[in-house]
């Protein structure tokens, strides 16, 4: 189990599998996340296969708004990541690159107080995202057929297009804590990626057909103290394009989950809360994530450890990269076996 004693107790995998089936509401039409008074629009609670929710009501000020774009690109030889975010009182950005072969990293974090040098669109794919800070530049732009990701820090830069195939579905979920605390997330996995990464002046390909991008788009108003798990993976197994999207802790008890599997571009929603069995103190031990129609094992090969403690603001993250394997039964009843799906699983505790 998680080594973080502040996290809630987790149910056993068997209990998760045996829990009564439930279904969340699927959204089919565009809807606003907020009402005119800024509180949660209950008509937005549910999930969708596309980013249907208008988040323009999540603006600056108030101290609790959180807005971000996180992109991760995994190639056969490298892992690339960028974050553009505003948490009202600060802009928090990161660019990070891992050479998987040499286990060497390049990274730059920037916390800008008060928030400035950051641009985030009011809703997904209607405008660019940009970050500027000392020794850090990030540009995210929608282009024909996908999203262009550009980032630059000392010693490292990359220019990648995350393609969006025709008919590609993504998981959009509104998670309600209260009328004044809620989150809209879009988890977009298994986006084919292509481009280049340049490290210490040496340019390398992000090879098409072998590289995958994942997006975490977030807009909401968060509680001060929160913990979560997030797992994602993308790849090809047994001739099928597989995307893994699983989460936990932060959605417990809300009636919403961020759990789904993507199979050949089609989203299969998992309505159950999942059981996570792992130990961050022994992170190389395989993690197990199970519930509903999913039984998955995650085998890590690298742990990206991040710790921040600024008194009232703190963050503890173990983001482990590795490979997913397991079984999943689709909406049509097909039992899929998958293996070698590269991605990550993380344990996070924030006070923010």
């Amino acid at each position: 189990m998680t080594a973080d004693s502040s996290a809630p107790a987790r149910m056993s995998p068997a209990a998760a599998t045996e829990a009564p089936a439930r279904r969340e509401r699927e959204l089919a039409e565009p809807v606003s996340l907020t009402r005119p008074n800024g509180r949660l629009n209950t008509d937005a609670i549910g999930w969708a296969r596309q980013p249907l929710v208008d988040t323009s009501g999540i603006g600056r000020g108030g101290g609790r708004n959180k807005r971000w774009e996180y992109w991760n690109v995994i190639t056969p030889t490298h892992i690339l990541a960028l974050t553009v975010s505003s948490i009202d009182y600060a802009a928090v950005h990161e660019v990070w690159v891992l050479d998987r072969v040499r286990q060497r990293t390049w990274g730059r974090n920037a916390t800008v107080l008060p928030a400035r040098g950051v641009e985030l669109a009011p809703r997904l794919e209607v405008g660019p995202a940009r970050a500027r800070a000392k020794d850090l530049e990030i540009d995210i732009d929608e282009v024909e057929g996908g999203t262009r990701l550009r980032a630059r820090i000392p010693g490292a830069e990359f220019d990648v297009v995350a393609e969006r195939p025709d008919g590609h579905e993504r998981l959009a979920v509104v998670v309600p804590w209260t009328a004044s605390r809620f989150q809209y997330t879009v988890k977009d996995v298994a986006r084919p990626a292509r481009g280049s990464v340049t490290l210490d002046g040496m340019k390398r390909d992000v090879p098409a057909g072998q590289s995958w991008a994942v997006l975490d788009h977030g807009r909401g108003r968060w509680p001060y103290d929160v913990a979560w798990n997030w797992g994602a993976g993308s790849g090809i197994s047994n001739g099928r394009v597989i995307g893994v999207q699983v989460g936990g802790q932060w959605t417990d008890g809300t009636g919403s989950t961020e759990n789904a599997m993507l199979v050949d571009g089609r989203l299969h929603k998992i309505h159950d809360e999942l059981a996570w069995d792992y130990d961050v103190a022994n992170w190389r031990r395989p993690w197990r994530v199970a519930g509903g129609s999913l039984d998955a094992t995650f085998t890590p090969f690298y742990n990206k450890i991040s710790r921040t403690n600024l008194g009232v603001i703190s963050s503890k993250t173990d983001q482990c990269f590795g490979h997913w394997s397991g079984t999943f039964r689709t909406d049509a009843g097909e039992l899929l076996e998958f293996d070698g799906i590269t991605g990550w699983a993380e344990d996070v505790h924030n006070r923010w």
Side-chain angles (χ1 to χ4, degrees), residues 285-319:
R285 193 198 83 181
W287 303 34
R288 187 181 178 203
V289 181
S293 52
L294 175 68
D295 190 342
T297 297
F298 174 75
T299 305
F301 60 71
Y302 184 87
N303 187 9
K304 180 179 183 286
I305 299 172
S306 303
R307 303 285 189 267
T308 301
N309 191 346
L310 302 176
V312 295
I313 301 171
S314 67
S315 177
K316 181 180 77 68
T317 299
D318 289 84
Q319 184 182 26

Side-chain angles (χ1 to χ4, degrees), residues 7-167:
R10 318 296 292 138
M11 72 180 80
S12 70
T17 303
E18 294 165 4
R22 64 185 181 90
R23 299 191 70 82
E24 303 152 82
R25 178 175 61 175
E26 182 174 356
L27 305 175
E29 301 291 337
V31 63
S32 174
L33 177 62
T34 55
R35 297 191 181 279
N37 63 4
R39 295 172 76 81
L40 174 63
N41 177 14
T42 55
D43 291 339
I45 298 174
W47 70 279
R49 300 176 185 275
Q50 297 294 345
L52 297 177
V53 178
D54 180 0
T55 60
S56 56
I58 299 294
R60 301 180 186 276
R64 303 312 313 161
N65 296 311
K66 316 294 181 187
R67 300 177 298 146
W68 67 73
E69 311 292 342
Y70 170 82
W71 281 93
N72 186 288
V73 179
I74 295 182
T75 85
T77 56
H78 293 82
I79 298 175
L80 322 175
L82 63 80
T83 302
V84 178
S85 77
S86 172
I87 56 174
D88 269 359
Y89 49 84
V92 183
H93 315 304
E94 182 179 22
V95 176
W96 183 77
V97 178
L98 169 69
D99 183 324
R100 296 173 58 181
V101 177
R102 295 185 292 166
Q103 298 280 287
R104 183 184 170 191
T105 63
W106 293 255
R108 169 70 175 156
N109 294 278
T111 299
V112 184
L113 294 164
R116 62 187 185 278
V118 57
E119 179 180 356
L120 287 159
R123 58 183 298 183
L124 185 60
E125 295 166 358
V126 299
R130 310 205 190 283
R132 296 291 186 271
K134 181 176 173 55
D135 295 329
L136 180 147
E137 296 180 7
I138 300 173
D139 292 279
I140 303 172
D141 295 283
E142 296 304 312
V143 297
E144 184 176 357
T147 307
R148 187 180 183 188
L149 314 171
R150 288 174 291 167
R152 181 195 300 268
I153 59 173
E157 61 183 281
F158 54 84
D159 187 344
V160 174
V161 172
E163 298 174 352
R164 188 168 55 251
D166 291 342

Side-chain angles (χ1 to χ4, degrees), residues 237 242 244 261 294 296 324-328 336-339 341:
S237 181
I242 301 294
V244 178
M261 291 287 289
L294 175 68
W324 290 93
S325 62
T327 60
F328 174 71
L336 291 178
E337 295 185 3
F338 58 92
D339 191 17
I341 303 301

